[in-house]
Amino acid sequence: MDFSGKTVIVTGAGGGFGEGIARRFASFGANIVAADMRADAVGAVANDIASKGGCAIAATADVTRGADVAALAKVAIDRFGKVDIVINNAGITHKNRPMLEIDEETFDRVYAVNVKSIYLSAMHFVPLMRAAGGGVFVNIASTAGLRPRPGLTWYNGSKGAAIALTKSMAVELAPDRIRVNGINPVMGDTGMLQDLLPGEDSEEVRARIVATIPLGRLSQPRDIANAATFLASPDSDLITGICLEVDGGRCI
Ligand SMILES: NC(=O)c1ccc[n+]([C@@H]2O[C@H](COP(=O)([O-])OP(=O)(O)OC[C@H]3O[C@@H](n4cnc5c(N)ncnc54)[C@H](O)[C@@H]3O)[C@@H](O)[C@H]2O)c1
């Protein structure tokens, strides 16, 4: 796959799926703007990509803040002149708990990071893509929005919103040649897993989750990166408004 000359913004690129996605696009020649609110983490990822011959810059941004997302767009334009692909990956969950034990502040934060961020990225990147004659969004949603597990109710709802927004943006932006797709990963081996698991992380708890995934393993950043590059490439140029399950069969 060749992404030479393409500018790719990846949010939440300081670790987990976002780091894997940024590294994969970089390996295919893209110019990466790796964004995260953890400046040290995302700086280390961008430096490592650059030290291996890739092209990446780090941007510190909280995706829930309009001013930060505006600054992110400006950094990309100043450095690379355009924005071709935006991967809305940054996300958080509340801890796996009975639904009535999640406080209002936590609920608001989950919706700000997982849902409002999509609104803000549309506000700041759609005008750039329109002016350029097209573009691609890939929103990292979750199987949680399709096949919810107990204990994650408010997180599940936020991912349901991400799926609906993906489809709605796709149909509204198609005349602008802007494609909008999503990815629904099954539980993955990242920093977030500790909060998603129903109980303390242990071999036994992981085995219970793996037993619900027909192909018998958790997802890894490389799985999500493979789907993201496909959905951002011309190989998928008639595909818009889908949320692709990368889930080992969990949602069958
Ligand atoms: N890990 C899973 O099991 C799983 C499954 C399905 C979907 N997802 C989704 O995949 C995406 C990536 O998750 P992950 O598993 O890699 O998690 P992670 O916690 O390993 O990484 C998330 C990254 O996002 C960053 N981030 C958090 N809030 C931010 C904000 N407001 N602004 C900017 N950056 C912020 C964090 O600093 C971190 O680097 C999320 O949207 C998550 O909901 C994860």
Side-chain angles (χ1 to χ4, degrees), residues 17 36-38 61-63 89 141 155 159 185 187-188 190 196:
F17 293 159
D36 205 288
M37 54 187 296
R38 293 186 300 134
D62 178 341
V63 295
N89 166 79
Y155 172 74
K159 291 303 185 177
M187 258 193 219
T190 69
L196 293 171

Side-chain angles (χ1 to χ4, degrees), residues 11-19 21 35-38 41-42 60-65 68 88-93 109 112-114 117 139-144 155 158-159 183-193 196 218-219 221 224:
T11 69
F17 293 159
E19 176 180 351
I21 292 167
D36 205 288
M37 54 187 296
R38 293 186 300 134
V42 78
T60 308
D62 178 341
V63 295
T64 71
R65 294 169 49 92
D68 284 18
N88 284 316
N89 166 79
I92 58 167
T93 183
R109 185 68 188 164
V113 180
N114 296 358
S117 60
N139 297 327
I140 309 302
S142 175
T143 54
Y155 172 74
S158 74
K159 291 303 185 177
I183 298 173
N184 292 332
V186 75
M187 258 193 219
D189 201 0
T190 69
M192 186 181 284
L193 188 64
L196 293 171
L218 300 177
S219 67
I224 312 311

Side-chain angles (χ1 to χ4, degrees), residues 128-181:
L128 299 178
M129 291 181 183
R130 278 191 171 137
V136 180
F137 287 92
V138 179
N139 297 327
I140 309 302
S142 175
T143 54
L146 280 186
R147 189 150 186 229
R149 295 182 194 269
L152 295 169
T153 288
W154 313 115
Y155 172 74
N156 296 336
S158 74
K159 291 303 185 177
I163 293 167
L165 288 172
T166 300
K167 293 173 191 282
S168 193
M169 285 173 64
V171 73
E172 190 165 333
L173 296 175
D176 298 303
R177 305 191 60 77
I178 298 171
R179 295 190 299 118
V180 188
N181 289 300

